[in-house]
Amino acid sequence: MSGEPVVPPETNPTQDLQAPMEAAVDSTAAELIDPSAAAGAGEAPPDAGSGDHSAAAAQEASAPADPAGAARLVVELERELASLRSQHESLNGQHMRLAADFDNFRKRQSRDSEDQRLQITCATLGEILPVLDNFDRARQQLNPQHEEAQSLHRSYQGLYRQLVDVFKQLGVSPMRVEGEPFDPMLHEAVLREPSDQHPEDVVIEELQRGYHLNGRVLRHALVKVSMGPGPSDAASPAGEAPGGPEQESSAPPHEG
């Protein structure tokens, strides 16, 4: 047995080539499944620039390639812009109208407040005016003779002037009506009588003084109004001019 030659086992060349090929296939499959494994195994990571190129390529791929689609997109954007402009103009118009309404409301409130304040002032001063009238009547009737009465009269006059000054500071001013044409907005006619000195509808006497408050009538003046010259003498003969034959002369009558 020791002298027989040793014969080596038979080898299959196909099996020797198949093993390296299977190992290469397994390695490639592992790289495709987990690229990080290949990088951990010593392979260099992909370049960052290649990622930018891939993102740009993806955007180009996502963009519409046909011109008709791009035109439709432009039309839709223009329609949306027109709608937004219309909404903006509508809201701007509403804002302008609200601002104008608020300004009118503010002015109206201010005017109403001023009118209310003036009405309260007129009502208050109207209650005090009879006191001023009584002061004026008493001042006209008093005629002091003795020293004591004159001292009292001076004190009374001082109070009257003080009251008149307060009314002036508040804007109250008396009316001047005698000789003026009758105005129903200012005067209240109490009496009417004939007058040879004044024409018709002219105030000939003030019975109660009227007052203004800053150009507004605080109290109407009670007045006597002229009716013009009275009727001629009824006793004159028929066919004779009123006043007798003396009126035939053009010379004025002699004043006694």
Side-chain angles (χ1 to χ4, degrees), residues 49 84 89 108 125 128 178 219:
L84 291 176
E89 292 177 357
R108 186 168 57 252
L125 294 177
I128 304 176
E178 291 188 6
R219 187 178 72 180

Side-chain angles (χ1 to χ4, degrees), residues 195-210:
S195 175
D196 295 333
Q197 289 79 20
H198 300 280
E200 187 178 3
D201 290 335
V202 172
V203 177
I204 59 178
E205 186 180 352
E206 181 184 57
L207 304 179
Q208 179 176 296
R209 182 166 296 177

Side-chain angles (χ1 to χ4, degrees), residues 31 34-46:
E31 292 178 1
D34 190 5
S36 60
E43 296 180 358

Side-chain angles (χ1 to χ4, degrees), residues 131-141 156 160 209:
V131 179
L132 186 62
D133 295 337
N134 293 331
F135 265 93
D136 194 18
R137 294 190 189 99
R139 182 179 61 85
Q140 294 175 0
Q141 294 176 1
Y156 169 82
Y160 178 75
R209 182 166 296 177

Side-chain angles (χ1 to χ4, degrees), residues 109-127:
Q109 286 294 107
S110 178
R111 186 170 57 251
D112 293 344
S113 300
E114 183 65 21
D115 291 342
Q116 185 177 7
R117 185 189 65 81
L118 187 59
Q119 290 177 3
I120 295 174
T121 303
C122 290
T124 304
L125 294 177
E127 297 294 331

Side-chain angles (χ1 to χ4, degrees), residues 245-252:
E246 289 80 7
Q247 292 189 358
E248 295 179 359
S249 175
S250 61

Side-chain angles (χ1 to χ4, degrees), residues 6 12 14 18-19 23-24 30 63 70 77 79 110 123 136 140 156 169 187 201 209 224 237 240 253-254:
V6 178
N12 191 355
T14 304
Q18 186 175 3
L77 291 176
R79 188 182 298 113
S110 178
D136 194 18
Q140 294 175 0
Y156 169 82
Q169 291 175 4
H187 313 140
D201 290 335
R209 182 166 296 177
K224 183 189 296 185
E240 187 175 323
H254 178 68

